[in-house]
Structures are given as structure tokens and as C-alpha cells.
Amino acid sequence: MSDQFDQAFWDERYRSHPTLWSGKPNPHLVGEVEDLIPGTALDVGCGEGADAIWLAERRWRVTAVDLSPVALERAAAQAGRAGQQVAERITWGRVDITDWEPPARYDLVSAQYLHLRLEPRQALFDHLADAVAPRGTLLIVGHHPSDLETTMPRPSDPELFFTGDDIAGRLDPGEWVVLTNTAAGRAVTDPEGRQVTIHDAVLRAQRRDAPVDT
């Protein structure tokens, strides 16, 4: 993890707000996953736990990981408030995703808005793809490069942005079927009160039962 976005950075950012995120699951997770049969899920960069809790409420067995112990403590507390059955379906773990490989295979691997420089990002996404079980789903969502022109707060470094094609291009078509690859637009209000449209890169792919010749 770079010094700019290390554990100390994220711990301080979480401590500076009673809650940092909305408490609602990411809309692309809901839209892409709600019709899937529940199984095992890996939520990478889980933050305050809204995605993991939403999945657990739908009977997924979730492994949720993040760099920040502050975020994980909040997430576990929120899961407890959601009920014992929900809390018991989630395993929380502190990991540095730039130096980590998932320990198992999962029916769903979800990474929402993880923004790293090119080399560590490619390595991470390769590891996440490797962690998807046969017939399982890989879902990666992030800020699209077109958001460099938005008035919403965004990182200034273009290298931190990616497209669905950037991810799909690293997936072997003999092993994967790409189901969603889009720059999805959504309306938001910027800090000055203006209505603007931002775009998310959304890539959803399913691993085949077995590799096929292409």
C-alpha cells in the first residue's frame, strides 16, 4: 500500500466521521447480484460493511476484508445490529490488498471502488479473478476515467482510474464470459449543489465450468 493511502490514512479518515459512507449497499452490486443463487462471497475493501451485510441478509456466506481496523470494527457492529443470523454469516478480516492473495475460491468476488496504481491494481484484479470458483461471478466497479472531468471530488491521478475493457482484457475468453461491461452513468449533486452525471466502470464476468478453445 502506498504511503498516501496506507492504514493510517484510512483509520484517520474513518475516525474523522461518525460514518464515512451511506450505509447502503453499492447499487451496482444490488443490480448485478440480486438474482444470483446465494453461495460464498468475498467482499474486498468492505469499508463499513454495507455490501457484506446486504449479501448476508440474502443468505450469502461472506468473507469481508479491509485495510482499516476502524472500518472493520464499525462493520462488525453494524452487522450485529442487523441480527445474529446476519452477523454469523460474515467473517471479517484485516488485509493489505496490495500484498495479499485470497485464500480460497468463492462463488462471488466483489471489489467496489478500489483505486490503485496500474501495477498493483492489475496484480490485485488477477488475484481476484483467480479466486472465483467455476460458474462463479467476478464483479469489479470503479470510477470511470471520464470522471476526471467531473466536478465531484475525485483523485487527480489518471492512473487510478480504469475501464471495464482494462479488466476484461486480462480475462481469458476461454475461461470467462463477460456479462456486463459498461460505463454506467448516474446523476449526483456536486459540492456546489449542481446536478452532474458521473460514470462507473462496471465489469461482471462469469467463470466457465471448464475452459474452452477460442
Side-chain angles (χ1 to χ4, degrees), residues 12-50:
E12 178 57 31
R13 188 171 180 196
Y14 280 108
R15 289 192 186 102
S16 67
H17 298 81
T19 56
L20 189 56
W21 311 116
S22 70
K24 300 177 181 179
N26 282 299
H28 297 300
L29 175 75
V30 175
E32 297 290 339
V33 171
E34 60 183 349
D35 292 332
L36 297 182
I37 297 172
T40 57
L42 175 63
D43 179 13
V44 183
C46 65
E48 292 166 323

Side-chain angles (χ1 to χ4, degrees), residues 139-176:
L139 177 62
I140 297 177
V141 178
H143 298 308
H144 190 270
S146 62
D147 273 9
L148 284 163
E149 306 300 324
T150 187
T151 53
M152 290 293 291
R154 290 291 184 266
S156 60
D157 186 348
E159 193 175 359
L160 299 179
F161 295 75
F162 57 86
T163 68
D165 286 344
D166 293 334
I167 308 164
R170 300 183 68 81
L171 300 177
D172 182 347
E175 297 184 14
W176 292 90

Side-chain angles (χ1 to χ4, degrees), residues 108-157:
L108 168 67
V109 174
S110 173
Q112 306 277 323
Y113 304 100
L114 298 181
H115 292 278
L116 306 172
R117 294 189 180 277
L118 180 61
E119 282 192 30
R121 181 176 72 238
Q122 288 180 336
L124 173 63
F125 288 174
D126 288 349
H127 291 324
L128 298 188
D130 289 342
V132 177
R135 297 184 62 82
T137 296
L138 175 68
L139 177 62
I140 297 177
V141 178
H143 298 308
H144 190 270
S146 62
D147 273 9
L148 284 163
E149 306 300 324
T150 187
T151 53
M152 290 293 291
R154 290 291 184 266
S156 60
D157 186 348

